Amino acid sequence: MSLLVVGSIAIDSIESPHGSVPEVLGGSATHFSLAASLYAPVRLVGVVGEDFPGGYVDVLKQHDVDLAGLQVAPGRSFRWTGRYEGAMAQAETLATELNVFGSFDPKVPESFRDSRFVFLANGVPGVQAKVLDQIDPGQSFTVLDTMNLWIETTRHDLVDVLGRVNGLVINDEEIRQLTGQPNLVRAGRVVLTMGPEVVIVKKGEHGALLFKGDEVFAAPAYPIDRVIDPTGAGDSFAGGFMGAIASCERRDPTLDDLRRAVVVGIVTSSFNVEDFGPARLHSIRPEEVEERYRRYADMLRVEGAPTLRQGASAT
Amino acid sequence: MSLLVVGSIAIDSIESPHGSVPEVLGGSATHFSLAASLYAPVRLVGVVGEDFPGGYVDVLKQHDVDLAGLQVAPGRSFRWTGRYEGAMAQAETLATELNVFGSFDPKVPESFRDSRFVFLANGVPGVQAKVLDQIDPGQSFTVLDTMNLWIETTRHDLVDVLGRVNGLVINDEEIRQLTGQPNLVRAGRVVLTMGPEVVIVKKGEHGALLFKGDEVFAAPAYPIDRVIDPTGAGDSFAGGFMGAIASCERRDPTLDDLRRAVVVGIVTSSFNVEDFGPARLHSIRPEEVEERYRRYADMLRVEGAPTLRQGASAT
C-alpha cells in the first residue's frame, strides 16, 4: 500500500578507505525511497535546486517513485561532504550546505494525502510537524527519524512531534542522548512512554532493537566483509522496514510484521553499504534480496536446547 | 564430558552506578567455572594465596568444581579493583595486585590430563603454552581467551599459542587490534588463518559473532534492562559456550553445536551481569536458564519472508 516519505534529497561527496566519489545522488529520502521501492510503491515529498541533475531524478523514476511532491526551488541543491575512517562507524562531516533544503516547506500533494504509511526522514522537528498537519494521522502508520542535532537544539519540538507519531527510528547514541538512559533496553522503554507505540534502535554493524509494549526484539546485522560506504545505511534500513510494513497492508502491524520488517530493513541496508552512495540499491535484483534474506533467517535458526547438568544448581 | 579451565581466581572490589562491593569472589576461571558447571562437570587449575577465604572455595565446591588443580601459594591472592560508569561497556581498572597470580605456574594434575575440552582463560600467553605442554592437544578441543595487554606486549608468544589451539574467544576491540582489520567479519577470517578453526568475537551488549570455515553466525545479546555489574561477563559467556560444547560430547563440535553453544553462552552471561561478582551465577536455578533460552530462541524466530514488489528492479 501507499508509502509516503518526506525528507532530504542531496548531492553527496564521500571519502572512505575504499576511495572517494564527488557529487553522487544522496539524501535521506533518496536512500529510503530506493530501499522501500523494493517492497512497496513510494511517494516522495522533497526539494531540490535548479542545479539538480536530471539523471538523478531519472534514478528515482526508474524505481517508480512517485515524484508528484518533488519541488524544484530557485538556488542550489542540498550538498553534504563527509569522510569515513577505520571501522567507519561514524561519518566525519566535512561540509554541509543546506541551500534549498534550509527553507524546505513540505507540501503533501492532494494525491498523497491518503497514504497509509508515512515516514518522516531526519529533519527539523517543526518541519516534520507540518507534514503531520497535512495528513490524517488517525488513518496512517507514521514513523519518525531524528538525529543528535535536533535532540540538542529543538528538544521541545521533537518531543511534541514524537507525541503525534506511531513509531520512532533512532540510533543507539541518539536514544541514549534523548532519554539520558545508557541502557538501551531502558531507553527504548522510556521512548514508549513519550508517544510512539513502536521504537526501533539502529546499531549499525551490531544490528537493531525493536520495542513494542513489553516486547523487545534484538536482531544482529547481516555480516558484511566489505563495507565501502555507510552513507544512507540508516535510511535504507528504514526504507526496508517501512516497505515491508507497507507490503503487509495492515495499518496496525502485528509484532510478527514488525520483526520481519526489522529483518528486511537489516538485509536491505546490508546492500546499501556495499558501494558508494545508493549505487548498490539502484542495481539490486529482487532475487539477491530474497537470497540474502534466506541466508539471514538460516543464520538465526538455532536448533535444540542446552542440556543442563544433573544437580547443576548450587542451592 | 570433562572440561578443564586454567585461569585466574581473584578477589574483586567493584563499583558500578548500582553500588559497590568490596572483596567479592572473582577471576576469569571463577566466572567461567560457575557458568560452565551448569552444563558439564568442571576441573579447575588455578592459584590463590593463603588469605583466600574458605567460603569462596566452598562456592566453587558447591558447583561440583573439581579443585584437584587448585594451588595455595605463600602470599596474598590476586586482587582487582574496578569501576563502571554510564553504559558500563568497559571497566576502569583502579588497581591490580597480581600477588600469587604473578608467578602462576600451572600444574595440570594427572587426573585432569584426559580432559577432552580445555579453556585457557585470559593470561600470559607463555603460561597458557605451559598448559598445552601438559595435555594432548590432539585429544582435546582447546579454546583460548586473551586481552589487549598480551596483544601489545607479547604478540609473538600469543601468535605461537594461537597456532596450537582449536578456538579463540576475544572481544571486538581486541580482534581489531590483533588483526589490524577494523571490519569484524574480515578480522574473524584473518584469525582463522592463524591456527584456530573456530573464532568467537564477544561484543558485550551487542552479542557475539562465530566464525568457522566460510560460515559466519551473528547472535544478538539477550536484552537486559538492569545491568548491575558486567565483571566476568566474557568469562561466563565462555563458560556457557564451553559447557554447552562439552555437554555435546563430540570433540569436533559441528556448526550446529557451535551456534547453540554461542546462544548458551549469551544466555548464561546475561545472568552474570544481573548482580555483583558471581552472585547471580551462584544462585541461578536450571529452570531459569531453560526459560531464558526459550525466550531468546523465540525472539530470534522470524516468520515468513518479504514480499517484493512486482518490477522492483530498476534494471
Side-chain angles (χ1 to χ4, degrees), chain A residues 157-227:
Chain A
D157 290 354
L158 176 60
V159 169
D160 259 9
V161 72
L162 265 180
R164 300 175 63 191
V165 296
N166 302 91
L168 173 68
V169 169
I170 189 168
N171 81 27
D172 44 356
E173 286 319 305
E174 290 158 357
I175 198 171
R176 287 181 164 128
Q177 189 184 9
L178 175 63
T179 62
Q181 259 299 345
N183 179 287
L184 293 177
V185 180
R186 295 190 159 212
R189 291 190 177 138
V190 169
V191 176
L192 290 179
T193 68
M194 299 170 79
E197 66 256 30
V198 177
V199 175
I200 296 113
V201 181
K202 300 174 286 183
K203 306 193 298 174
E205 65 168 336
H206 301 303
L209 295 172
L210 167 78
F211 299 86
K212 180 183 163 74
D214 292 334
E215 299 287 339
V216 188
F217 171 57
Y222 185 87
I224 288 288
D225 65 359
R226 193 167 157 80
V227 176

Side-chain angles (χ1 to χ4, degrees), chain B residues 177-189:
Chain B
Q177 190 184 7
L178 175 63
T179 62
Q181 257 299 346
N183 179 288
L184 293 177
V185 180
R186 294 189 159 214
R189 292 193 176 138

